[in-house]
Amino acid sequence: AQSVTQLDSQVPVFEEAPVELRCNYSSSVSVYLFWYVQYPNQGLQLLLKYLSGSTLVKGINGFEAEFNKSQTSFHLRKPSVHISDTAEYFCAVSEGSGSARQLTFGSGTQLTVLP
Amino acid sequence: DADVTQTPRNRITKTGKRIMLECSQTKGHDRMYWYRQDPGLGLRLIYYSFDVKDINKGEISDGYSVSRQAQAKFSLSLESAIPNQTALYFCATSGTGGDIQYFGAGTRLSVL
């Protein structure tokens, strides 16, 4: 069974500094990988996804993530954060094939951008 | 208007009461999901439905039931609510590829 580990539950960072949110997964088969963002009092929205192809994927709001198969990681990065990036970020993994694919979420990382 | 609408947005109820959370979508998706979110635990899948006649249990289905009334509607019921069902509940939908899920704004449920 797949599992997702987000190593940091809280990440405080100053505005305009770079940030990396870490995500590791365990799976014995090929996976699809996702990052979702949840702003206060809102549902989750897709930030970026890796399905196949280039291991460096770019998402909305200047975020990017790199799929590293050997390290089973999919860390999220942004070179310069803004106050508006304050939110909770969830890594998710989809394993299986065809209609059997289901998402498994990590426990989330609260990113707080400080002025 | 939101593509995935959850009602109510907030609900307070008492132990033992029956409660229904509703979800409707205008995305035309076949697949719908119910999750609960607890602090420090992320989202956990309660039930999912791939079409009106296909309903499946998720990771934590005990104490919950669902009804897929139409392609666009998927309801979650707590037959006899208990305090540890206090959580934030999300409905989501996806197309037949099943990979990208689209979420509603959530229902915050408190069971006293």
Side-chain angles (χ1 to χ4, degrees):
Chain A
Q2 64 203 29
S3 66
V4 182
T5 302
Q6 291 184 242
L7 297 164
D8 304 298
S9 60
Q10 309 236 5
V11 174
V13 62
F14 286 107
E15 193 173 18
E16 298 184 5
V19 70
E20 178 180 82
L21 307 184
R22 296 180 291 170
C23 173
N24 287 88
Y25 66 93
S26 66
S27 174
S28 59
V29 297
S30 66
V31 295
Y32 294 171
L33 297 158
F34 306 82
W35 277 97
Y36 281 83
V37 59
Q38 183 182 26
Y39 297 105
N41 299 313
Q42 295 185 27
L44 280 70
Q45 79 180 74
L46 183 67
L47 200 56
L48 50 77
K49 64 184 184 292
Y50 170 79
L51 304 183
S52 65
S54 173
T55 57
L56 182 64
V57 292
K58 295 188 182 297
I60 61 172
N61 301 338
F63 284 92
E64 64 181 30
E66 185 158 18
F67 170 52
N68 187 320
K69 187 175 182 178
S70 63
Q71 296 187 5
T72 60
S73 68
F74 191 54
H75 300 333
L76 181 70
R77 302 184 183 99
K78 186 169 182 178
S80 175
V81 294
H82 303 289
I83 297 287
S84 59
D85 292 323
T86 294
E88 189 152 23
Y89 292 79
F90 292 94
C91 181
V93 173
S94 172
E95 180 187 71
S97 61
S99 62
R101 286 190 173 269
Q102 293 182 35
L103 276 183
T104 298
F105 286 87
S107 57
T109 297
Q110 175 64 45
L111 172 65
T112 301
V113 180
L114 307 167
Chain B
D1 289 340
D3 294 321
V4 184
T5 302
Q6 292 184 235
T7 56
R9 290 295 314 278
N10 293 279
R11 181 72 184 267
I12 300 173
T13 191
K14 294 182 179 180
T15 297
K17 293 291 187 181
R18 183 178 189 275
I19 184 168
M20 179 182 289
L21 308 183
E22 298 187 340
C23 177
S24 62
Q25 51 113 348
T26 58
K27 297 190 76 67
H29 288 164
D30 287 326
R31 300 183 179 192
M32 298 187 74
Y33 310 81
W34 275 105
Y35 293 91
R36 66 176 278 175
Q37 182 182 18
D38 298 278
L41 295 179
L43 276 75
R44 293 179 291 167
L45 184 62
I46 306 172
Y47 269 95
Y48 61 102
S49 170
F50 284 172
D51 65 39
V52 174
K53 296 181 181 180
D54 180 16
I55 293 177
N56 305 278
K57 292 182 177 181
E59 178 187 352
I60 53 164
S61 60
D62 287 349
Y64 301 95
S65 62
V66 291
S67 173
R68 186 81 184 265
Q69 301 94 324
Q71 186 207 36
K73 296 183 182 295
F74 193 37
S75 301
L76 176 72
S77 293
L78 287 66
E79 295 301 325
S80 179
I82 56 177
N84 77 359
Q85 291 177 313
T86 293
L88 186 54
Y89 290 84
F90 286 104
C91 174
T93 73
S94 68
T96 51
D99 297 309
I100 299 173
Q101 295 187 14
Y102 299 85
F103 287 80
T107 294
R108 188 170 297 279
L109 176 66
S110 297
V111 183
L112 305 179

